[in-house]
Amino acid sequence: MTAANARPRRVHKARDRLLLRWHRWLGLGALVFLLLAAFSGSLLVYKQALIKQLITPRADLPADYGVAQMALQLDAIAERIKGDNSGYLIKAPNTEEPYWALTRDADRSVQLLALDSLQTYEENLWLLQALSFFRHLHTELFAGVVGEAVLFASGVLGLFLAISGVILWWPTKRSFRWRWVFPRQIKLSYLMHYHRHAGTLVTPVLLIILLTGSIMLWQKLTKPLLVPPPSSQLPQPIPAAASATAGQLLLQAQQQVADGWPTYIRLPAPGMAAMSVRYRLPDEWHPNGRTSVKIELPSGLVTLSARADQVDWPQRLINQNYPLHSGYGMHPFYRLLILVGGITLFWLSLTGGWSFLRRHH
């Protein structure tokens, strides 16, 4: 080998060593947070199925159930909670979740109400508490804005780790064996093999999870600094809105999004003299929709957001972050891929961290 050929190879190896050093130390910095996010996120992928099996096994949305019936039941719910000083986030029934879900702002407690009687489901309520715990762990680490910022930084580092891991694996691609991805017996001496090959195989899914999660966290962190999304105010207010019931206001809002299905409803509460309704449009990926109607009280002024199917393509792409990240509202096979991605991210964090400890001790 000539000196001219040897020099590029030495430079290439030096770059690989530098990249490997960055991969190890940045991975160590994000290790705990990626472990927590991957573990909690994996448990939440099939949240709806778990609730269906353990809490609401006989719940089903009647074929003739519509917004008119929803409005009548919303009046009953509003009457039920009117004495509570806390606000509520109310999720309307749908085919995948055929029950009312009430989340109390003050303590984040959740109630599920049966469609036929509006009685509270009482069985296996520990599951709701566990899901609420893992949701807040997954989205903010129970630390509010600070937790969101830490998770955002960890997500960005995760993107770097995924890409750099493939670059480091590439020279050894011929050594790929399925036994490194699905080992029959786990041996500590082979942890790096499991780490490299499993990570590379699932990289496309990991990139989707990490990128969409980071974008959503960035949106939350920068929301106070951004220009509000486009909306329009109707020229004519709703007459006698101040004396209208919650159900009547829902029907008024429905007229503005006639082809939408109500998802989240906010009733007027102390400090918020307005009612808002969020809608999912036909064929919309986002399970909760991105179109909303807000009715100011007592004026009755109606503000309508831009319809999710009429915004420009960059906004449409951003609107898909949540379903792409969570798998909610998507094809069952895609949701399974998200679960596999979450489990793999946990496995990569575990094997990477353990290998680092073994190397330095």
Side-chain angles (χ1 to χ4, degrees):
M1 179 183 297
T2 65
N5 292 332
R7 184 178 178 184
R9 174 172 283 186
R10 287 197 300 270
V11 172
H12 187 71
K13 287 184 177 179
R15 289 175 180 172
D16 283 351
R17 286 195 297 270
L18 179 62
L19 183 61
L20 179 59
R21 189 176 299 115
W22 278 100
H23 185 89
R24 285 173 176 165
W25 287 103
L26 291 178
L28 183 66
L31 174 64
V32 174
F33 307 112
L34 290 178
L35 270 173
L36 293 174
F39 179 72
S40 56
S42 298
L43 293 175
L44 292 171
V45 171
Y46 286 100
K47 176 186 72 172
Q48 296 165 346
L50 289 171
I51 291 175
K52 174 71 174 176
Q53 290 297 321
L54 297 178
I55 301 179
T56 64
R58 292 175 294 277
D60 194 18
L61 191 74
D64 60 349
Y65 189 85
V67 179
Q69 291 171 277
M70 188 184 294
L72 292 174
Q73 292 189 323
L74 183 61
D75 280 336
I77 293 172
E79 183 67 22
R80 177 176 180 166
I81 64 176
K82 71 177 184 179
D84 194 335
N85 290 327
S86 173
Y88 279 81
L89 180 62
I90 302 173
K91 189 166 188 180
N94 57 67
T95 52
E96 290 191 358
E97 299 167 290
Y99 43 79
W100 288 91
L102 280 62
T103 303
R104 189 170 183 266
D105 294 339
D107 56 8
R108 298 176 174 177
S109 60
V110 179
Q111 299 178 54
L112 302 184
L113 308 183
L115 272 185
D116 55 353
S117 63
L118 292 185
Q119 294 298 309
T120 305
Y121 285 100
E122 298 291 351
E123 295 183 2
N124 296 318
L125 296 184
W126 60 267
L127 178 62
L128 294 180
Q129 297 173 353
L131 292 173
S132 177
F133 175 87
F134 286 119
R135 178 181 176 275
H136 292 294
L137 176 66
H138 185 73
T139 56
E140 60 179 43
L141 299 174
F142 292 102
V145 176
V146 174
E148 292 171 354
V150 170
L151 286 171
F152 168 72
S154 301
V156 173
L157 289 178
L159 288 169
F160 169 79
L161 295 172
I163 296 171
S164 60
V166 173
I167 295 173
L168 292 168
W169 170 86
W170 187 256
T172 65
K173 59 184 180 296
R174 293 184 179 179
S175 66
F176 177 84
R177 298 292 186 274
W178 284 106
R179 67 174 179 269
W180 301 131
V181 181
F182 302 107
R184 294 182 179 179
Q185 183 180 1
I186 296 177
K187 298 181 179 180
L188 295 181
S189 57
Y190 292 154
L191 283 182
M192 272 304 13
H193 293 287
Y194 308 148
H195 183 87
R196 291 170 180 169
H197 298 292
T200 301
L201 184 66
V202 190
T203 291
V205 180
L206 293 178
L207 290 176
I208 292 174
I209 293 174
L210 292 166
L211 180 61
T212 53
S214 299
I215 291 175
M216 287 191 293
L217 286 166
W218 175 252
Q219 287 179 298
K220 291 179 70 174
L221 291 168
T222 60
K223 184 177 180 180
L225 307 176
L226 300 179
V227 177
S231 61
S232 59
Q233 191 172 90
L234 299 188
Q236 296 297 326
I238 297 174
S243 59
T245 66
Q248 291 169 340
L249 292 176
L250 174 63
L251 294 176
Q252 290 286 343
Q254 187 69 31
Q255 294 179 16
Q256 311 306 320
V257 193
D259 58 342
W261 185 266
T263 56
Y264 280 116
I265 302 170
R266 278 273 186 193
L267 300 181
M272 189 186 73
M275 174 173 167
S276 61
V277 186
R278 192 163 157 183
Y279 289 91
R280 184 182 187 182
L281 302 181
D283 300 322
E284 188 173 359
W285 282 10
H286 200 299
N288 303 319
R290 298 298 297 176
T291 306
S292 63
V293 176
K294 183 177 182 180
I295 302 174
E296 302 284 350
L297 297 174
S299 65
L301 292 173
V302 179
T303 303
L304 175 65
S305 74
R307 285 179 57 101
D309 56 1
Q310 294 178 357
V311 296
D312 53 18
W313 71 265
Q315 186 60 48
R316 290 195 190 194
L317 191 60
I318 291 175
N319 287 347
Q320 311 315 320
N321 281 322
Y322 179 67
L324 287 174
H325 180 80
S326 65
Y328 296 162
M330 304 292 281
H331 191 277
F333 179 72
Y334 181 83
R335 186 175 293 194
L336 179 61
L337 285 179
I338 295 299
L339 176 63
V340 170
I343 294 173
T344 303
L345 182 57
F346 180 82
W347 175 242
L348 294 176
S349 302
L350 200 62
T351 54
W354 194 264
S355 297
F356 184 90
L357 290 176
R358 292 185 76 242
R359 177 183 178 86
H360 287 78
H361 295 281

